[in-house]
Amino acid sequence: MTGMAALENTVFGSHKFRDILEASRKLTMRNEFSTIQWDEESPSIDWNFALLYASAITSAQSERAQSATLRIATACMLAPDADAAHRAAATALLERTGNHPAVELAEARDRVSADAWLELPALLQMEVIRSRIDHSITLSDGRTLSVNPFQGMFWDAVDNNDWLSISAPTSAGKSRIIREHFLEIARRKDLFTLVYLVPTRALIEEVSRDLRAEAAANVGVFTMPWDPELADSTRSILVVTQERLHLALELFPLLIVDLLFVDESQSLGSDARGVLLQQAIERTIRRSPGAQVLFASPLSSNPEILIEDAGSDRRSGYFVSEAVTVNQNLVWVEGVYRKPQRRAVSLVANGNRHRLGEITLAQRATNVPMRTALVAHALAGNTPGNVIYINTASDAEKVAKVVFEQLPPSEEIDQEIDDLIDLIKTAVHSKYLLADVLERRVAFHYGNMPLVVRSEIERLFGEGKIHYLVCTSTLLEGVNLPCRTIFMRNPQKGIGHPLSEADFWNLAGRAGRWGKEFEGNVVCIDTDDDDIWPNLPLTRKRSPIRRAVSTGLDEASGLLSFIRSADEVHSDPTAEGLFAYLSSRRLEGEPIDGLLDRVPLKSEREEIEAAIGRATTDSTLPVELLTRHTGISSISMERLLTSFQSSGKTPSELELPLPEEPDSRQRFQEALVRIGATMTDVFGTPRPGEDLRKWQLANLVVNWMRGLPLARLIEQRINFSNVPVAKAIRDVMRDIESIARFHAPKYLACYSDLLALHASELGLEPTNRPDYAMMLELGVSRTSEVVLMSIGLSRTATVALAQYIGVDSWTRAEALDWLGRQNLDGLGVPILIQKEISTVLEVAKRRAL
């Protein structure tokens, strides 16, 4: 045992220290929740002893040591009986651990005087100075960057490794230090292509916005492979999802990547998209074997799994940091027998539960949305920083409405909230519930909402203008939305799938904003009900990273089912994606024997290998077509091609039209029906004699490509469907994200390519086919509109301007010049869209200076 480990054990072996640590937790909880009716009086703490013992473990890197040091320092700053000398010593503890943002927060809230450390003895002052030097990085432009220990470890490791996997808690500052690394490369190198790979489109916008704000003008920050200036850029940063990275590799055969960063690397375990992510990473590395490859994941037990594919000639490394920048309180709330308006509140620490007291609800909670909303309100009142995690979009709206009812009307509506309400009524629907609940600083947030609305909600919540934000699983997908308190009841990821421990702690990591809050709180509601808490959290654990490819081979039943039903349209996209991935590797000359060795039974391994052999050897399809359409097997493609050949129709009769053509809806509906009969059921399973769902979706995708505003699409659904307004709004937004922007691009692009192959087999000249994948994912069809989106405008803003654009294509510079000359008030553009345009123009101007 090392000297530090022995000292740490001695400190935690002290009963007095452990009692003080528990008292510190209770003291900070009193600061967090003023509405609890406490069972005990506020504890008294011997601050001299507490600070002395905490100072002994500031160099220990374990989570318990860092958490205890931060807990005691924070409690000391909040305690009414701690004097100025104690608080100055607490700042020294924080400085010693590299947590300068917490010191700045204490100064901002008048918990300590500015530069309180100067009141310390000379030796301690020197120690603070040394710590600030140790926790800083000198950048190539001469600036000094303050970092915490984890960020410092990364900065050293990234210079010494070609492949690096890092794992740290959600609040450790991964995104910031990665962004600084990208910017540092851009400052040092003349020619480069850097790829920042994110799991969701929402993160594309967030990351690219931050990079554009700080990168030099001659650095191109690109978010889509269709950007007309990408081909000519020699200093490029691509911020893309795995789907867009795959398209970029297809569109630019000579694209060489210098750095590939995979954010939220645990997404490799995400079923079909996890398979595609692995395939995109492997294709990039085969194309660019000299690229530096970085992985980042939340606190995990096996980050080394991500570097096992590094070549023997590549320097590789990994590390796990248990950096604690903000402490978190795990709180359980349970019913009180025969007292329907009372709830017991307990604090859970180190696996032990400590009852604190009770809260009183505003009324009886007679249904599930009321339970969640009333507990949140009873604890947080009308204070900012509260996120309520809910499993479905419809339930999110219900909970938001109940919270709204508990809050008093705002005496004066904030102008920025009023602008958001105006945008929602214009761009979504006048009766959208979101506009109503915002009047009392409540909002809901789910992934299908328009980007401009979602981004503004996040900004206003971060600034404390929205007090309650009711969210779905968007929070698990890496969206940077830290808060003060997260409330959960029966948390799930997908209907009927309880949140795993890994996802729970990843979500919990959003509680506590480093530099903005002293603590974060994770409130679990109705923890006395085992049915809704099968994975009741007690202590934070490291969870293993799993690859969807490995899981699909370890448990090969899904893959075997797909192979054995090759003559049927399959409904398991993960199994088909895995089969297509293995087939692509075989076609590209990559070995698959090691992967197939994971299949437990020899007979099953042989069956899978034989099926892949048939798919790659017997297929009449060109290799480039098979590898281009990831996630679609050659079996499905062959069925669609056979359907063309036996249809009795000419290729021109089967061809997909441009969205503005008069018969476009009928032609797209016929294409979706044919795809449904040969490839997939994601566009709906028809009832005998009718296929209304595919007609509905054909109408949606055509109007989406034409650039119709979301409000028009919703109004159409309301007029032609017998469903309530609220459901119609949710359904249209869901169909846009799931169908128009995801499944339709995937399958219609394949349809178009296979039809072109069929035409060539008949000896017909190829036609100039539109890029349906681009038009569908972006929701526009003109080059000028694509350019506007490439410079950072949302689709909502682009569509608002589209009718006034008199040219069909232009450069970024021409688009920016046109934007700067418009009378946006005169065009009737909503205020928030005007602000979005102004931000884009300001960033472009700043980068040009």
Side-chain angles (χ1 to χ4, degrees):
M1 182 180 294
T2 64
M4 178 49 65
L7 179 58
E8 182 181 338
N9 285 339
T10 299
V11 169
F12 281 95
S14 165
H15 288 290
K16 183 174 181 179
F17 181 76
R18 293 201 303 271
D19 289 344
I20 285 176
L21 196 52
E22 182 179 341
S24 296
R25 292 190 187 97
K26 292 179 178 179
L27 190 152
T28 54
M29 278 289 291
R30 287 177 177 270
N31 182 72
E32 292 294 304
F33 300 112
S34 61
T35 57
I36 296 176
Q37 296 148 40
W38 298 89
D39 290 347
E40 301 172 356
E41 294 295 322
S42 180
S44 176
I45 297 176
D46 181 347
W47 291 114
N48 290 327
F49 181 92
L51 294 165
L52 175 64
Y53 267 55
S55 69
I57 56 173
T58 51
S59 297
Q61 296 302 307
S62 70
E63 183 180 7
R64 74 167 180 173
Q66 293 186 59
S67 177
T69 301
L70 178 57
R71 180 81 63 180
I72 286 174
T74 300
C76 181
M77 290 178 174
L78 297 174
D81 61 342
D83 60 29
H86 292 141
R87 291 175 182 167
T91 64
L93 290 182
L94 295 173
E95 293 281 7
R96 191 184 287 179
T97 57
N99 201 338
H100 186 65
V103 176
E104 293 180 327
L105 177 62
E107 293 174 351
R109 295 193 178 177
D110 295 324
R111 296 293 182 178
V112 296
S113 59
D115 295 326
W117 62 278
L118 292 175
E119 301 171 12
L120 296 168
L123 288 176
L124 288 179
Q125 291 183 35
M126 293 177 63
E127 189 176 298
V128 170
I129 294 171
R130 185 184 67 185
S131 178
R132 288 187 177 181
I133 294 172
D134 290 343
H135 293 110
S136 63
I137 295 168
T138 302
L139 302 175
S140 58
D141 60 1
R143 292 182 299 116
T144 298
L145 181 69
S146 295
V147 295
N148 61 34
F150 156 72
Q151 293 170 327
M153 289 173 65
F154 168 82
W155 204 260
D156 291 337
V158 78
D159 280 340
N160 298 308
N161 289 281
D162 302 312
W163 283 54
L164 177 64
S165 175
I166 60 172
S167 183
T170 304
S171 57
K174 294 190 291 291
S175 298
R176 179 185 174 227
I177 198 66
I178 290 291
R179 182 171 71 249
E180 291 292 346
H181 179 56
F182 269 64
L183 295 170
E184 184 70 353
I185 292 175
R187 286 188 287 265
R188 290 178 176 177
K189 291 190 174 183
D190 294 327
L191 305 174
F192 57 82
T193 298
L194 316 179
V195 174
Y196 197 122
L197 191 54
V198 296
T200 65
R201 280 190 293 263
L203 272 174
I204 287 179
E205 303 306 325
E206 180 180 315
V207 172
S208 62
R209 181 177 61 243
D210 292 343
L211 285 168
R212 282 192 181 107
E214 299 185 54
N218 60 358
V219 175
V221 179
F222 302 98
T223 62
M224 56 185 72
W226 312 284
D227 193 314
E229 298 197 5
L230 176 56
D232 298 325
S233 175
T234 58
R235 295 165 56 81
S236 306
I237 299 177
L238 278 70
V239 185
V240 289
T241 58
Q242 52 262 50
E243 289 85 3
R244 291 190 183 183
L245 176 57
H246 176 78
L247 283 170
L249 294 172
E250 287 291 326
L251 292 171
F252 300 97
L254 301 180
L255 178 67
I256 301 297
V257 174
D258 298 291
L259 168 64
L260 171 64
F261 168 58
V262 185
D263 196 12
E264 303 291 337
S265 300
Q266 75 280 5
S267 299
L268 280 161
S270 300
D271 297 332
R273 293 196 73 232
V275 175
L276 175 57
L277 175 57
Q278 181 154 333
Q279 190 168 0
I281 293 170
E282 290 177 0
R283 289 195 68 194
T284 303
I285 294 165
R286 284 199 295 273
R287 175 87 62 86
S288 309
Q292 185 177 37
V293 184
L294 308 177
F295 299 92
S297 58
L299 200 59
S300 63
S301 60
N302 61 335
E304 68 276 6
I305 194 176
L306 300 175
I307 59 171
E308 61 185 16
D309 295 330
S312 57
D313 60 334
R314 307 293 283 161
R315 301 171 300 165
S316 61
Y318 70 93
F319 71 84
V320 177
S321 172
E322 296 183 338
V324 179
T325 56
V326 179
N327 269 320
Q328 292 174 330
N329 302 309
L330 179 59
V331 181
W332 289 1
V333 177
E334 301 177 347
V336 177
Y337 185 66
R338 297 293 187 187
K339 296 181 180 179
Q341 284 185 241
R342 303 280 287 181
R343 294 292 185 274
V345 181
S346 300
L347 178 65
V348 180
N350 302 321
N352 300 310
R353 184 167 79 170
H354 309 274
R355 179 183 153 108
L356 301 178
E358 295 183 4
I359 54 173
T360 302
L361 308 187
Q363 57 184 290
R364 286 170 42 233
T366 56
N367 56 54
V368 170
M370 287 183 68
R371 285 187 182 214
T372 306
L374 292 176
V375 168
H377 175 257
L379 279 169
N382 195 16
T383 61
N386 304 294
V387 162
I388 303 176
Y389 182 86
I390 295 297
N391 299 324
T392 67
S394 60
D395 283 346
E397 295 180 7
K398 294 173 186 174
V399 170
K401 176 61 172 172
V402 178
V403 174
F404 166 88
E405 296 293 347
Q406 309 312 306
L407 299 174
S410 300
E411 294 182 2
E412 184 175 333
I413 193 73
D414 183 275
Q415 184 58 52
E416 290 189 310
I417 290 180
D418 204 30
D419 291 341
L420 178 55
I421 292 172
D422 179 62
L423 176 67
I424 290 165
K425 290 182 176 181
T426 302
V428 182
H429 197 273
S430 60
K431 295 183 179 179
Y432 194 24
L433 181 64
L434 180 58
D436 296 337
V437 297
L438 273 166
E439 292 180 356
R440 297 186 188 176
R441 302 182 185 274
V442 180
F444 48 84
H445 179 293
Y446 38 78
N448 298 335
M449 294 169 66
L451 172 65
V452 64
V453 174
R454 205 168 60 233
S455 298
E456 186 66 5
I457 288 172
E458 292 167 12
R459 185 183 72 82
L460 293 175
F461 179 76
E463 293 182 3
K465 293 189 174 184
I466 291 175
H467 290 181
Y468 284 87
L469 186 52
V470 188
C471 289
T472 59
S473 58
T474 309
L475 279 180
L476 289 171
E477 297 165 350
V479 172
N480 185 22
L481 194 63
C483 61
R484 180 176 179 180
T485 303
I486 291 180
F487 297 90
M488 287 181 271
R489 183 188 183 278
N490 189 24
Q492 298 178 9
K493 187 179 182 182
I495 303 301
H497 300 286
L499 217 58
S500 66
E501 278 195 294
D503 282 334
F504 175 86
W505 290 111
N506 184 21
L507 180 61
R510 309 290 171 188
R513 297 172 285 190
W514 188 26
K516 294 187 178 181
E517 302 289 348
F518 288 116
E519 310 226 328
N521 310 292
V522 183
V523 179
C524 302
I525 300 170
D526 291 345
T527 48
D528 48 343
D529 188 339
D530 295 338
D531 291 338
I532 66 172
W533 286 100
N535 301 318
L536 186 61
L538 284 169
T539 57
R540 185 189 300 273
K541 298 177 183 176
R542 297 186 190 179
S543 299
I545 296 171
R546 295 185 174 90
R547 298 177 189 260
V549 167
S550 300
T551 301
L553 293 169
D554 292 341
E555 304 164 5
S557 58
L559 180 57
L560 288 164
S561 176
F562 173 79
I563 290 170
R564 291 166 183 168
S565 59
D567 295 332
E568 304 172 7
V569 174
H570 214 266
S571 58
D572 186 346
T574 302
E576 180 168 12
L578 179 55
F579 186 83
Y581 161 77
L582 294 169
S583 300
S584 292
R585 281 186 63 97
R586 173 68 63 83
L587 288 168
E588 293 172 338
E590 295 296 316
I592 64 172
D593 294 346
L595 291 169
L596 293 183
D597 284 344
R598 301 189 70 103
V599 180
L601 295 178
K602 180 182 178 183
S603 60
E604 293 180 345
R605 286 199 299 274
E606 292 173 346
E607 184 178 356
I608 294 169
E609 187 163 18
I612 293 170
R614 291 192 300 272
T616 55
T617 304
D618 299 344
S619 176
T620 61
L621 301 173
V623 171
E624 62 270 17
L625 194 148
L626 291 172
T627 57
R628 181 183 308 149
H629 296 288
T630 56
I632 304 177
S633 71
S634 59
I635 299 170
S636 296
M637 293 188 203
E638 293 274 11
R639 278 200 300 262
L640 181 57
L641 182 59
T642 300
S643 172
F644 291 149
Q645 294 166 342
S646 61
S647 67
K649 295 186 175 184
T650 65
S652 62
E653 291 175 304
L654 297 167
E655 192 174 58
L656 296 174
L658 288 167
E660 64 269 21
E661 293 182 38
D663 62 345
S664 57
R665 291 169 181 79
Q666 179 183 343
R667 299 280 287 274
F668 271 95
Q669 193 256 359
E670 291 170 355
L672 294 181
V673 169
R674 191 174 297 276
I675 290 170
T678 56
M679 304 184 88
T680 179
D681 62 0
V682 296
F683 302 110
T685 303
R687 297 175 181 175
E690 64 178 35
D691 211 339
L692 297 178
R693 174 62 171 161
K694 291 187 179 66
W695 174 259
Q696 183 184 68
L697 293 179
N699 183 69
L700 177 73
V701 298
V702 166
N703 286 329
W704 176 253
M705 287 188 289
R706 287 176 59 201
L708 258 65
L710 174 62
R712 287 272 304 279
L713 299 177
I714 290 171
E715 200 60 46
Q716 285 183 350
R717 184 70 62 90
I718 292 170
N719 292 336
F720 293 100
S721 300
N722 187 25
V723 296
V725 171
K727 186 177 187 305
I729 293 171
R730 290 194 302 271
D731 287 351
V732 169
M733 292 194 291
R734 181 203 61 214
D735 285 346
I736 286 171
E737 288 302 309
S738 176
I739 301 297
R741 303 190 69 186
F742 185 69
H743 291 303
K746 174 181 175 179
Y747 287 102
L748 289 174
C750 185
Y751 177 102
S752 183
D753 280 353
L754 286 169
L755 185 60
L757 175 64
H758 174 51
S760 69
E761 291 175 341
L762 297 175
L764 301 176
E765 289 293 324
T767 58
N768 186 20
R769 292 172 290 139
D771 190 335
Y772 294 102
M774 179 196 74
M775 292 193 294
L776 284 162
E777 183 165 342
L778 300 184
V780 295
S781 61
R782 298 167 62 195
T783 304
S784 54
E785 295 164 344
V786 175
V787 172
L788 286 180
M789 294 182 72
S790 76
I791 62 178
L793 284 189
S794 65
R795 180 188 186 268
T796 305
T798 300
V799 167
L801 297 170
Q803 60 185 311
Y804 306 111
I805 301 173
V807 296
D808 204 33
S809 66
W810 50 19
T811 65
R812 283 189 178 197
E814 290 169 337
L816 289 166
D817 176 67
W818 182 87
L819 279 177
R821 291 186 284 103
Q822 300 311 302
N823 174 9
L824 298 178
D825 282 325
L827 297 178
V829 177
I831 294 297
L832 269 184
I833 299 299
Q834 293 190 37
K835 289 181 179 178
E836 181 185 342
I837 294 168
S838 296
T839 299
V840 168
L841 292 172
E842 287 168 8
V843 169
K845 182 178 179 180
R846 185 166 62 249
R847 294 185 67 196
L849 294 177

